[in-house]
């Protein structure tokens, strides 16, 4: 980007070489770093938005120097920006902010609405990429197949499911051990969240935020599904497999496994199934193989009040008074303290619902109406 900007701004043979080299790099890297579904290859919604702003800046400057860059290439950049905008729409909660998968935080990248307005000022048709894989009696599915995320939407709720690899094998620096985690908003309010990212560098807090314990998924034997270490390193990592997406007029079912724990002696495999209906979301977790202990965590947004009604039944009270129920069908339930980092430098204490798998199974329902 800097080479292109400098090559356009300055004159002379040296500036021309900067421009030529910058365009060459962008042509190569754009195809590698933007997947077919429009997602950035590192699977971080935050970096996706940063990357998208850079692409819009490149399109913007070509309009100030008409004829300096081939029009066909600029039109291609605009088409890529359109796909990236669609991806970001799919990965944004009703509050307009991104879902927190991998390294992601608010306040670093521009918001979706700002990037949409920027694209419109550049003449990009941002409405042309709307497309759902299915529409079912008020439900919809958006499956970002290449990057590995699924959005499920009903009248009052939207869920974001992570059935993705943690990132490119050769560049896992922004990866978290968040495989098969999910986030959920109901009545426009975040309810189930991932832990977020408050810092970079080295240290216990950075490591904790990348570990499975800080995500709404299953932890086996106190270990992470991918071996995150140091500030930006990953050793053995989880790969999702056997994804199933089914729908009928009344519900959507998504089921997926990962092999991140097969490194353990008992070679356990975690399989999670989400059953999404008009007024409830069921989550089934199954561990195949031997292990000592497995827990499913559901991290609750700090604005939600959690209270126990009876054994196996919790009430979640939203800020505007709406009530949700959290019910366990299989597995023992308890409430523990967790942490939520929506921004760099900001860590909030919150609650986490912990469900311990019994006979290798847990089954919970989150209900709203």
């Amino acid at each position: 980007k800097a080479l292109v900007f400098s090559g356009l701004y300055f004159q002379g043979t040296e500036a021309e070489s900067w421009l030529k080299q910058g365009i060459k790099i962008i042509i190569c890297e754009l195809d590698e770093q933007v997947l077919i579904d429009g997602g950035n290859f590192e699977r971080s919604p935050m970096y996706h938005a940063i990357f998208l702003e850079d692409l819009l800046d490149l399109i913007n400057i070509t309009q100030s120097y008409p004829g300096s860059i081939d029009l066909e290439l600029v039109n291609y950049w605009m088409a890529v920006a359109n796909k990236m905008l669609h991806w970001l729409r799919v990965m944004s909660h009703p509050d307009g902010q991104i879902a927190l998968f991998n390294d992601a935080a608010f306040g670093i990248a521009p918001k979706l609405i700002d990037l949409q307005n920027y694209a419109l000022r550049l003449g990009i048709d941002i409405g042309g990429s709307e497309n759902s894989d299915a529409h079912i009696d008020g439900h919809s599915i958006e499956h970002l197949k290449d990057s590995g995320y699924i959005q499920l939407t009903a009248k009052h709720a939207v869920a974001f499911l992570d059935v993705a690899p943690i990132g490119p094998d050769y560049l896992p620096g922004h990866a978290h051990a968040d495989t098969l985690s999910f986030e959920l908003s109901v009545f426009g309010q975040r309810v189930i969240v991932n832990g977020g990212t408050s810092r970079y560098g080295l240290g216990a807090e950075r490591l904790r935020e990348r570990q499975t314990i800080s995500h709404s998924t299953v932890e086996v034997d106190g270990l992470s599904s991918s071996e995150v270490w140091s500030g930006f390193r990953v050793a053995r990592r989880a790969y999702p497999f056997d994804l199933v997406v089914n729908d009928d007029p009344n519900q959507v079912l998504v089921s997926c496994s990962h092999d991140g724990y097969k490194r353990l002696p008992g070679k356990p495999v975690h399989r999670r199934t989400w059953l999404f209906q008009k007024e409830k979301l069921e989550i089934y977790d199954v561990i195949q193989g031997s292990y000592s202990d497995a827990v499913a965590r559901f991290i609750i947004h700090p604005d939600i009040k959690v209270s126990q009604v009876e054994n196996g039944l919790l009430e979640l009270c939203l800020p505007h008074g709406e009530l949700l129920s959290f019910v366990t069908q299989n597995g023992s339930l308890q409430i523990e303290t967790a942490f939520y980092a929506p921004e760099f430098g900001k860590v909030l204490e919150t609650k986490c619902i912990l469900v311990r798998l019994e006979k290798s199974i847990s089954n919970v329902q989150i209900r709203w109406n």
Side-chain angles (χ1 to χ4, degrees), residues 102 162 164-169 172-181 206-215 217-220 222-230 232-240 257-264 268 270:
N102 290 316
D162 180 355
I166 61 170
D169 277 338
H174 292 297
H176 287 205
D178 61 358
T179 306
L180 303 189
S181 66
R206 167 64 174 163
L207 184 60
R208 184 192 62 79
E209 289 178 352
R210 297 179 71 209
Q211 291 174 334
T212 297
I213 194 174
S214 297
H215 300 86
T217 186
V218 169
E219 180 189 59
V220 176
L223 300 173
S224 289
S225 55
S226 293
E227 290 181 303
V228 292
W229 64 283
S230 188
F232 299 90
R233 309 300 289 272
V234 186
R236 291 171 290 187
R237 68 281 314 258
Y239 293 95
S257 300
H258 78 78
D259 62 1
Y261 292 114
K262 287 190 76 173
R263 67 183 188 268
L264 302 181
H270 172 213

Side-chain angles (χ1 to χ4, degrees), residues 20 42 59 83 151 156 174 226 261 281 285 295 332 354:
K20 183 178 179 180
E42 290 194 90
I59 296 166
K83 288 199 303 181
Q151 182 207 74
H156 296 301
H174 292 297
S226 293
Y261 292 114
L281 173 62
D285 288 302
V295 295
S332 61
L354 184 148

Side-chain angles (χ1 to χ4, degrees), residues 87-254:
W87 192 96
L88 192 60
R89 280 197 295 271
V90 173
M91 294 299 292
S92 295
H93 280 261
D95 61 14
Q97 297 274 23
I98 55 174
L100 300 181
F101 296 105
N102 290 316
D103 276 341
F106 308 150
I108 301 298
K111 293 182 181 180
L112 171 64
I113 185 64
D114 297 323
L115 291 169
Q116 287 178 323
N117 289 335
Y118 189 6
L120 286 171
R121 292 198 302 272
L122 298 176
I124 298 173
D125 179 8
I126 67 171
S129 58
E130 292 290 353
N131 181 37
S132 292
D133 290 337
H135 292 274
I136 308 160
D137 190 28
H139 298 70
S140 69
I141 308 171
E142 281 280 2
H143 187 183
L144 300 168
K145 296 179 182 178
D146 302 286
S147 49
Y149 295 100
I150 296 176
Q151 182 207 74
L152 304 178
T153 305
K155 183 177 180 181
H156 296 301
V158 56
F160 304 85
L161 317 183
D162 180 355
V163 292
I166 61 170
D169 277 338
Y170 59 91
L171 191 64
H174 292 297
H176 287 205
D178 61 358
T179 306
L180 303 189
S181 66
F182 77 104
E183 296 197 339
L184 174 70
S185 277
V186 185
F187 301 116
Q189 168 67 47
R190 292 184 190 229
V191 177
I192 306 294
V193 297
N194 283 314
T197 305
S198 72
R199 70 199 67 200
Y200 282 164
L202 305 177
E205 187 69 9
R206 167 64 174 163
L207 184 60
R208 184 192 62 79
E209 289 178 352
R210 297 179 71 209
Q211 291 174 334
T212 297
I213 194 174
S214 297
H215 300 86
S216 292
T217 186
V218 169
E219 180 189 59
V220 176
D221 288 346
L223 300 173
S224 289
S225 55
S226 293
E227 290 181 303
V228 292
W229 64 283
S230 188
F232 299 90
R233 309 300 289 272
V234 186
R236 291 171 290 187
R237 68 281 314 258
Y239 293 95
F241 67 94
D242 195 18
L243 173 65
V244 175
V245 180
N246 288 331
D247 59 78
D248 63 38
N250 299 311
Q251 64 186 24
V252 181
L253 181 146
V254 178

Side-chain angles (χ1 to χ4, degrees), residues 282-350:
E282 291 191 50
I283 303 100
Y284 300 86
D285 288 302
V286 178
I287 304 295
Q288 297 173 327
S290 61
Y291 63 94
S292 297
D293 185 52
V295 295
R297 287 187 176 84
F298 303 87
I299 302 172
I300 306 300
H301 190 276
D303 290 342
I304 308 299
K305 294 181 180 178
V306 182
S307 56
Q308 188 149 1
V309 177
E310 58 187 60
N311 188 33
L313 172 61
L314 301 177
E315 186 176 80
L316 309 181
C317 182
L318 277 57
H320 297 293
E322 301 95 341
L323 296 177
L324 281 64
S325 62
F326 187 101
V327 185
T328 58
Q329 309 281 22
N330 295 95
S332 61
L333 178 152
Q334 66 187 73
I335 301 171
E336 65 178 16
T337 298
F339 299 95
Y340 179 60
E343 303 173 19
F344 274 82
K346 185 175 185 179
V347 180
L348 305 175
E349 188 172 300
T350 189

